[in-house]
């Protein structure tokens, strides 16, 4: 499953995997793909350095990348405390009332919230980059638009390719103008922050818009047949995120959440602003329903919403309150019905790809080689 981009990066399969779990990213790299570690949860630079040290020890010298979040719009000159002070009291009261309605216990005295979306703030991402460029990362991805010009230049000075996600051809052209090296065409079906155009329509539009830049197809992909379709549409690889959540290497720290993912169908997700303030596809729960209810106060813009709900999400996860428990995940969740190792997933993807290519060859009257 080689393309020009995979050969440039020195990987066997053009399968790029975004994940917050170092063990998953490393396993994908060892399996011949390209693991991309999500950095948003690392609020302390030393924690990121610790896990990048671990990646170095467990990737056998093979390439991997890092994904940061640098929003196109930011709160200028504001500290985290100053941003939190902007949160209206009615929103705080709504959080308290929703948690009380479902009987969610308080965190134990002295127990800090383990889930802080401060990584949505640009300075946090810049601190992460100060660490990351000390390591031999081969790709830097940004989930929310093009990184600032100085970041793109800094990455290129280190010999690092820069990727950015796009939900439309217009966004993709902006990335190309900003000097981005790889565009990830992320369709409506994807987990996390995503736009409104489906992958089958979006991928060829983006390929045409930014040619000859390489494009990765993303959104709702979880089989080799879908990878073949993405490459047939002009992509030079695929960008997968959700499929790794139910792998044996994933560290969800919640059996209840894993079971919810395994049981969910493709119709059990929703695009909601409940988690970060921007539309993000996630499991539909009574928590997302509460925030999407017109009778509620509505969500706040990024990064206010993420800071508002941080402790609440920690409490929901800590006590595994099933009705409220969720996670960002794409519509491919309907195919995530068994726990497999990362290598097993990659093997299934490559086998499915080969079957799809053989099928097309037969339709075209060619014998498989």
């Amino acid at each position: 499953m080689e393309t020009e981009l995979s050969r440039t990066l020195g990987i066997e399969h053009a399968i790029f995997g975004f994940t917050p779990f170092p063990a998953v990213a490393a396993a994908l790299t060892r399996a011949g793909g390209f693991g991309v570690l999500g950095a948003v949860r690392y609020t302390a630079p030393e924690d990121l350095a610790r896990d990048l040290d671990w990646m170095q020890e467990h990737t056998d010298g093979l390439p991997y990348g890092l994904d940061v979040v640098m929003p196109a719009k930011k709160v200028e000159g504001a500290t985290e405390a100053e941003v939190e002070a902007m949160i209206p009291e009615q929103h705080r009261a709504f959080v308290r009332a929703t948690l009380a309605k479902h009987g969610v216990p308080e965190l134990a005295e002295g127990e800090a919230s383990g889930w802080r979306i401060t990584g949505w703030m640009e300075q946090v991402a810049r601190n992460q980059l100060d660490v990351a460029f000390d390591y031999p990362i081969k790709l830097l991805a940004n989930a929310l638009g093009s990184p600032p010009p100085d970041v793109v230049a800094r990455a290129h000075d280190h010999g690092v390719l820069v990727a950015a996600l796009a939900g439309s051809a217009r966004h993709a052209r902006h990335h190309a103008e900003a000097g981005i090296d790889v565009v990830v065409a992320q369709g409506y079906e994807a987990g996390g922050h995503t736009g409104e155009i489906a992958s089958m329509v979006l991928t060829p539009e983006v390929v045409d818009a930014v040619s000859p830049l390489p494009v990765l197809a993303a959104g709702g992909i979880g089989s080799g047949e879908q990878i073949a379709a993405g490459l047939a549409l002009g992509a030079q690889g695929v960008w997968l995120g959700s499929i790794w959540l139910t792998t044996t290497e994933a560290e969800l720290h919640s059996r209840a959440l894993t079971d919810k993912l395994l049981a969910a169908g493709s119709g059990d997700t929703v695009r909601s602003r409940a988690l970060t303030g921007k539309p993000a596809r996630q499991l539909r729960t009574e928590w997302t329903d509460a925030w999407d209810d017109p009778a509620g106060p509505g969500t706040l813009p990024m990064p206010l919403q993420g800071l508002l709900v941080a402790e609440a999400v920690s409490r929901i996860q800590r006590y595994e309150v099933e009705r409220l428990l969720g996670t960002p995940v794409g519509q491919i969740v309907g195919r995530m019905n068994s726990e497999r190792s990362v290598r097993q997933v990659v093997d299934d993807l490559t086998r499915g790809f080969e079957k799809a290519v053989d099928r097309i060859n037969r339709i075209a009257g060619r014998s498989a080689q």
Side-chain angles (χ1 to χ4, degrees):
M1 201 184 300
E2 290 186 355
T3 65
E4 183 179 348
L5 179 60
S6 70
R7 287 189 289 271
T8 297
L9 289 168
I11 58 177
E12 182 180 359
H13 305 302
I15 300 172
F16 295 73
F18 163 79
T19 174
F21 308 122
V24 173
L28 175 56
T29 285
R30 292 196 306 272
F34 190 93
V36 181
L37 178 64
V40 70
R41 67 191 181 102
Y42 295 100
T43 56
E46 58 270 23
D47 292 339
L48 177 59
R50 177 201 64 218
D51 280 358
L52 288 177
D53 284 337
W54 189 93
M55 290 280 292
Q56 279 294 104
E57 296 171 2
H58 293 83
T59 48
D60 299 336
L62 298 169
Y64 61 91
L66 191 74
D67 179 281
V68 297
V69 177
M70 303 186 82
K73 296 181 180 179
K74 60 183 179 179
V75 181
E76 293 287 349
T79 65
E80 181 181 339
E82 290 170 336
V83 174
E84 288 212 59
M86 301 176 188
I87 298 173
E89 176 55 33
Q90 66 167 336
H91 285 77
R92 297 186 186 277
F94 182 75
V95 169
R96 291 194 295 269
T98 303
L99 295 177
K101 174 183 176 181
H102 293 277
V104 182
E106 298 276 355
L107 294 175
E109 186 174 352
E111 183 178 355
S113 168
W115 192 90
R116 298 291 288 170
I117 295 294
T118 55
W120 307 117
M121 302 175 71
E122 182 177 317
Q123 188 53 52
V124 174
R126 287 185 176 274
N127 292 340
Q128 293 166 347
L129 294 179
D130 289 339
V131 172
F133 287 131
D134 287 335
Y135 294 82
I137 62 171
K138 298 301 182 185
L139 179 77
L140 175 67
N142 190 49
L144 294 175
S146 303
D150 67 297
V151 171
V152 176
R154 188 179 178 191
H156 288 165
D157 287 344
H158 283 81
V160 176
L161 297 180
V162 180
L165 275 64
S168 70
R170 178 174 61 86
H171 292 157
R173 282 189 287 268
H174 287 326
H175 294 337
E177 292 165 1
I180 299 303
D181 304 293
V182 180
V183 177
V184 181
Q186 179 165 281
Y188 172 81
E189 307 95 325
H193 296 116
T194 187
E196 299 180 344
I197 304 174
S199 299
M200 184 64 73
V201 174
L202 179 66
T203 301
E205 286 188 352
V206 171
V207 168
D208 290 344
V210 301
S211 178
L213 286 183
V215 172
L216 298 178
I221 299 175
S223 73
E225 291 82 356
Q226 291 171 303
I227 294 176
L231 298 188
L233 294 172
Q236 288 198 30
V238 291
W239 178 274
L240 310 181
S242 298
I243 196 71
W244 315 113
L245 289 173
T246 52
T247 58
T248 53
E249 293 91 344
E251 303 165 15
L252 286 180
H253 301 303
S254 171
R255 185 67 239 177
L257 181 54
T258 299
D259 289 343
K260 286 190 75 170
L261 289 169
L262 294 172
S266 57
D268 292 329
T269 69
V270 63
R271 283 175 78 244
S272 171
R273 297 177 184 267
L275 189 62
T276 69
K278 293 180 74 69
R281 185 171 298 284
Q282 54 203 279
L283 281 180
R284 182 176 181 178
T285 66
E286 293 189 33
W287 177 254
T288 62
D289 286 349
W291 282 105
D292 295 339
D293 188 338
T299 56
L300 297 170
M302 179 183 282
L304 299 181
Q305 182 70 15
L307 292 170
L308 169 66
V309 304
E311 181 180 328
V313 171
S314 285
R315 289 165 60 184
I316 292 167
Q317 293 176 344
R318 170 70 175 79
Y319 298 107
E320 297 190 336
V321 183
E322 197 275 338
R323 297 185 306 278
L324 306 180
L325 190 62
T327 186
V329 69
Q331 292 180 330
I332 196 61
V333 70
R335 295 179 66 104
M336 296 159 48
N337 48 26
S338 66
E339 292 182 79
R340 297 172 289 168
S341 70
V342 169
R343 183 167 290 277
Q344 287 173 321
V345 171
V346 173
D347 288 346
D348 288 345
L349 292 174
T350 56
R351 279 194 294 267
F353 176 81
E354 290 171 354
K355 290 179 181 178
V357 171
D358 288 346
R359 185 182 306 122
I360 295 300
N361 280 332
R362 289 194 300 273
I363 292 172
R366 303 185 185 96
S367 59
Q369 296 181 354

